[in-house]
Amino acid sequence: MTTVRARRVYEAPDAADGRRVLVDRLWPRGLAKAAAHIDEWLKAIAPSDELRVWYGHDPAKFGEFRRRYGDELRDPERAAALAHLRELAAAGPVTLLTATRDLEHSQAADLAERLQRPT
């Protein structure tokens, strides 16, 4: 079973994290790169600026955000990034990191769910 989970980048690393991948386009505010404990920063998987601004982290829009983000994940660059995440997950635990306060309604949570599904 693939182990993929989403966590806030500001939380202390956990022994069960496995490979820690930042999935935000922008570097988290106030977080020093040396203190981040990030194995990889995969900017290519992040939602477009247009989608991010439209969504505005409004939980009422999350269903439509997921649909639109799914469409964006078909873009060749994002599709390659998603395939890379699948490869990482096949090799061991992966933790998708985001700076978003509302983790449940974030692209990291959406990606974790997508990666848990069989392909």
Side-chain angles (χ1 to χ4, degrees), residues 13-114:
D14 185 279
D17 282 349
R19 190 140 177 97
R20 293 169 51 88
V21 181
L22 179 64
V23 294
D24 289 349
R25 183 171 310 284
L26 305 173
W27 186 260
R29 287 185 187 176
L31 184 64
K33 287 193 168 119
H37 303 285
I38 290 172
D39 296 307
E40 187 172 348
W41 183 10
L42 194 58
K43 295 179 205 176
I45 199 78
S48 67
D49 288 337
E50 296 80 15
L51 181 56
R52 188 175 49 80
V53 169
W54 170 84
Y55 176 45
H57 299 288
D58 178 354
K61 293 181 176 178
F62 190 62
E64 180 63 13
F65 168 81
R66 289 183 61 161
R67 188 193 68 73
R68 292 183 187 190
Y69 186 43
D71 289 345
E72 287 191 352
L73 289 172
R74 291 183 188 91
D75 166 79
E77 185 181 12
R78 285 188 184 88
L82 184 59
H84 175 65
L85 284 177
R86 285 192 193 287
E87 290 170 8
L88 292 177
V94 174
T95 298
L96 305 177
L97 301 168
T98 182
T100 306
R101 283 189 192 99
D102 184 358
L103 186 60
E104 185 181 342
H105 298 103
S106 69
Q107 84 271 9
D110 179 69
L111 283 169
E113 185 180 311
R114 288 176 194 272

